[in-house]
Amino acid sequence: MKKRREKTTEDYEKDSAVSSVIAGVIMIIIALWILATNVTWVSFAISLLLIAVGGFLIFIKRAERKREAALKDENSPQSVSHRKELDRKIQKAAQKAHYHKGLKGELYYRTVKIAVGLFIFALFLLLFVIAESSLPYIIIAGAMAIGAVIFLIHAASGKDYKQALAAFKAADGGSAEDAESEFAEGALFRCGGDAVCVGRDCIFGCMGLKTEVIPMKIVVWMFMNQKLQYNYYNGVYTGKTKQFFINFCTSGGRIFTYSCSEEGGILIIDEVHHNDTGVLAGWSDELWELYAKDPAGFLEAAVGAVMPSPYELAGKNDTRK
């Protein structure tokens, strides 16, 4: 059987361009057909809207390419504007990073509040559906209510908080009070369902309900990577977004990866360097080859390597549909 070729960035770019042009042309044709068959102020307004949307879809890829080219020029207005906006986001994120609850507050009380909110919503939804809808909708709403109850019980048990304390004890050997102090004094950065808290001696990585504790002493390298998300709505290309991830590479060969914002990743790197200047930062193919070959001897092997910027990204052309 012939092996299926993996899609490249060029493939995604071509697919998205074809999709948007076809959708744009179809919308313009529909608009012209409406004008040709029924000329009223309503049909005229609808046709203008369809033509505007169609034109946007036809030229969206061209606009994306122009913006990407402008961002590569450090002196372009777009590049200057992007740097100013990024600086503003960095300052805002830095101010928020140290204003957060302790470990129990984040992993127990915060989760319980979310669970209670979901339970109340599910309960009201179930009562409304029972009064207004048919049996299939009642079954769906009932299943949601049961799921909310299960989540509330799980949250109230404090299982996630207890597991985080156990992970801290295994990684650092400290007590619950040490874990609370380490987390409370650390800098916390959230992105989606992930969160990273950089403490003095440990990094707390939260992915959903799971919290991993990474001793700073075993982290030898960290880097950000970027993936391009191609967005479609009913098969029509609507644009692409950038996703950022922070990666912590340990001397044991394990890599911990968490979602982050662009400004969050920059600040995480700065926080780790503030607490431990021995951790290398920034991506290069040479560093990756050295790490893949010997994680335990990475720092010694990297002494003669050319060091990239600490904020140099990996996977700039990676894609995920």
Side-chain angles (χ1 to χ4, degrees):
M1 185 175 179
K2 188 176 179 180
K3 187 176 180 181
R4 185 178 178 182
R5 184 176 70 87
E6 195 170 320
K7 276 192 172 185
T8 64
T9 303
E10 289 72 22
D11 294 328
Y12 281 107
E13 288 289 331
K14 184 178 179 180
D15 289 349
S16 60
V18 171
S19 167
S20 59
V21 169
I22 291 175
V25 170
I26 290 174
M27 285 191 175
I28 291 175
I29 290 173
I30 292 173
L32 295 176
W33 177 80
I34 292 174
L35 285 175
T37 57
N38 184 21
V39 182
T40 65
W41 70 269
V42 175
S43 63
F44 183 74
I46 293 174
S47 297
L48 284 181
L49 178 62
L50 289 174
I51 290 172
V53 174
F56 168 78
L57 291 174
I58 289 173
F59 293 106
I60 185 174
K61 292 302 299 183
R62 182 180 177 184
E64 281 183 354
R65 287 193 291 269
K66 286 181 67 176
R67 174 171 171 76
E68 288 168 1
L71 288 174
K72 291 178 181 178
D73 179 5
E74 292 185 357
N75 298 317
S76 69
Q78 293 89 338
S79 182
V80 172
S81 176
H82 173 74
R83 290 198 301 272
K84 286 183 178 179
E85 178 63 15
L86 181 58
D87 287 341
R88 186 190 68 80
K89 289 181 178 179
I90 288 173
Q91 291 175 10
K92 185 177 180 181
Q95 291 171 355
K96 291 174 59 179
H98 291 277
Y99 291 93
H100 60 85
K101 299 176 182 177
L103 188 62
K104 190 170 186 178
E106 289 289 334
L107 298 186
Y108 180 68
Y109 294 120
R110 187 168 182 267
T111 306
V112 169
K113 287 180 180 178
I114 293 173
V116 169
L118 289 175
F119 172 73
I120 293 173
F121 171 77
L123 182 61
F124 274 104
L125 178 64
L126 178 61
L127 294 175
F128 174 79
V129 169
I130 290 174
E132 301 290 338
S133 300
S134 57
L135 182 60
Y137 293 104
I138 294 174
I139 293 174
I140 294 172
M144 291 177 61
I146 292 172
V149 170
I150 294 173
F151 179 51
L152 178 58
I153 293 172
H154 171 82
S157 70
K159 183 179 179 181
D160 302 315
Y161 173 63
K162 294 173 184 175
Q163 287 180 340
L165 289 180
F168 179 82
K169 186 175 181 180
D172 190 75
S175 63
E177 290 76 17
D178 295 330
E180 286 288 346
S181 175
E182 179 83 8
F183 191 92
E185 294 176 12
L188 179 65
F189 304 92
R190 292 193 183 92
C191 182
D194 292 1
V196 174
C197 182
V198 182
R200 296 185 309 274
D201 302 311
C202 290
I203 298 169
F204 297 84
C206 306
M207 185 181 294
L209 298 177
K210 182 181 180 183
T211 300
E212 297 167 309
V213 181
I214 314 165
M216 200 82 74
K217 61 186 178 184
I218 69 170
V219 179
V220 294
W221 182 35
M222 58 184 171
F223 63 88
M224 289 174 63
N225 72 296
Q226 171 189 294
K227 289 189 176 181
L228 300 178
Q229 173 79 38
Y230 286 77
N231 304 310
Y232 291 82
Y233 181 76
N234 289 335
V236 178
Y237 177 70
T238 57
K240 62 186 176 184
T241 53
K242 295 178 181 179
Q243 297 176 317
F244 296 90
F245 301 86
I246 186 73
N247 303 267
F248 301 105
C249 306
T250 70
S251 56
R254 188 174 178 186
I255 300 176
F256 297 85
T257 301
Y258 305 98
S259 301
C260 67
S261 60
E262 184 177 10
E263 65 275 11
I266 291 171
L267 288 170
I268 288 170
I269 290 172
D270 288 345
E271 285 289 337
V272 173
H273 271 169
H274 176 73
N275 294 336
D276 189 341
T277 55
V279 180
L280 296 185
W283 170 268
S284 75
D285 292 334
E286 182 181 6
L287 290 180
W288 175 251
E289 291 173 3
L290 292 174
Y291 182 77
K293 183 178 180 181
D294 183 14
F298 171 75
L299 291 177
E300 290 77 9
V303 170
V306 176
M307 288 295 107
S309 160
Y311 317 113
E312 182 64 30
L313 299 176
K316 293 179 182 177
N317 297 317
D318 283 356
T319 57
R320 182 162 61 185
K321 199 171 179 180

